[in-house]
Amino acid sequence: MRFDLLLTSARLASNPQEVVDIGIAQGKIAAIAPGLAVTDAGAIEPVAGGLIVPGFVETHIHLDKSCIIERCSIREGSLKEAIAETARVKRGFTEEDIFERARATLERAILAGTMHMRTHVEVDPRVGLKGFRAVRELARRYAWAIDLEICVFPQEGLLNDPGTEELLVEACEAGADLIGGCPYADTAPIEHIGRIFALARRFDLNIDFHLDFDLDASWMHLDEVVRQTEATGYAGRVAVGHVTKLSAVPSQRQLEIARRLAGAGIAVTVLPATDLFLMGRESDYNVPRGVTRADRLAQQGVTCALASNNVLNAFTPFGDASLIRMANLYANIAQLGRREDIERCFDMITSAAAKLMRLDDYGLGIGDRADLLVLPSKSAAAAICELAQPSLGFKRGRKSFMRPPTELNAPP
Ligand SMILES: [Zn+2]
């Protein structure tokens, strides 16, 4: 068999003791076995015992409003303030400004191993389609390194914001990949959910909601999303982000809700950095974490992902777009110490996240896309515990980045 590229002396998480070679042809994994013939390879890349994993999958980020922290003023650190500050700053956005900031965050994500990404993009009468156009151009220019899909959504509400729905329609007609909703921002949240489902069905798009983003568990928009998912036959096509309310209910009720979500085919993205920053502001001691236990939902069969959400803005004034760091943060907040639990966190930035995004040919099987990372780690769990960064990445079999090792400079 002829390979375009051969990765030699690699290890896989499934059997880290064994050293194997990985043959890549036409952008796909063509063979995995010890001692593949180097004479059959167009190029050889020794990976010196590095751990090969599939490229990371970011299911929820906002490229359009990343890197605006210097323009924002944070006094309360509340969700309301974050939306208001972003709305204020957003009035000054130009397409070029959005493009350059989004590019900076995207390049960071690529260097941190992300190879598939779903970005939310705000659409409303103030910003119009500037964000959509800027990010669409970015997706085109960086297609060699990352598959970027765009979810347009009304961050400031839909029924309370005339003109927004027409703009969402225009974005869908212009090729948006998904439609998102944000019922908590609307004066008519239930109608908001209905309109988003209607748009999704009109354009045959999947849906990704921002949902239930506070710690008052006496009511949930989730109930309506479950109802409409079932009524429209949208099982497997709906994801929800945050659902921090689930962190404020007792474990037995969490279990019941998890089973309902699994049954309805609704996936969940937990966003630890933002949820930790914005939740629990009513307390000045014994502050709740406000982060929903994705690992518990996953154990009940819910497709769950961990994601970055925001980078350097009023929702999250931190960030490096590293999913390994996000999985580490989550494992720490959720107090996970057992190896299998930490491995589940790795799944939530790889295979489970790929399932949420309905990616085909994702993984390390023969015929899967050769979207691969080399990690200087003994196992997937170790990579999370030690905050390992990938040393090399290959997108569809082509080297897309490298991160040279740092060195000590000891005196002679
Ligand atoms: Zn978000």
Side-chain angles (χ1 to χ4, degrees), residues 60-62 65 120 153 155 210 242 271 309-310:
H60 185 136
I61 196 167
H62 297 257
K65 59 182 173 192
H120 291 263
F153 88 114
Q155 172 74 76
H210 284 73
H242 297 295
L271 305 155
N309 196 30
N310 281 294

Side-chain angles (χ1 to χ4, degrees), residues 11-17 49-53 324 339 342-343 346 375-388:
R11 290 179 307 106
L12 305 178
S14 53
N15 182 11
Q17 310 309 325
L51 188 73
I52 300 285
V53 300
I324 277 281
R339 187 188 165 87
I342 297 172
E343 279 171 357
F346 196 85
L375 286 169
S377 311
K378 289 197 165 61
S379 67
I384 289 179
C385 294
E386 298 167 14
L387 285 165

Side-chain angles (χ1 to χ4, degrees), residues 203-218:
F203 291 98
D204 192 22
L205 297 177
N206 299 333
I207 307 175
D208 199 328
F209 282 106
H210 284 73
L211 209 70
D212 289 340
F213 196 11
D214 61 53
L215 302 183
D216 175 3
S218 63

Side-chain angles (χ1 to χ4, degrees), residues 147-230:
D147 293 306
L148 177 57
E149 66 175 38
I150 303 177
C151 177
V152 288
F153 88 114
Q155 172 74 76
E156 295 176 46
L158 185 59
L159 285 98
N160 55 307
D161 202 357
T164 301
E165 186 162 346
E166 289 78 358
L167 286 162
L168 285 173
V169 166
E170 207 182 320
C172 292
E173 283 170 346
D177 301 294
L178 267 91
I179 182 111
C182 195
Y184 66 73
D186 208 306
T187 46
I190 301 301
E191 290 82 352
H192 179 120
I193 294 168
R195 295 285 260 276
I196 296 301
F197 267 95
L199 284 172
R201 295 173 78 190
R202 175 172 161 195
F203 291 98
D204 192 22
L205 297 177
N206 299 333
I207 307 175
D208 199 328
F209 282 106
H210 284 73
L211 209 70
D212 289 340
F213 196 11
D214 61 53
L215 302 183
D216 175 3
S218 63
W219 57 271
M220 291 186 194
H221 290 145
L222 198 54
D223 297 325
E224 181 63 14
V225 170
V226 169
R227 195 187 70 73
Q228 295 228 21
T229 302
E230 288 172 341

Side-chain angles (χ1 to χ4, degrees), residues 19 35 59 81 86 130 200 222 225 252 261 276 295 307 333 354-355:
V19 173
T59 63
E81 181 187 66
T86 307
K130 286 178 206 156
L222 198 54
V225 170
Q252 184 56 37
L261 288 172
L276 263 185
D295 58 306
I333 302 161
K355 192 175 169 202

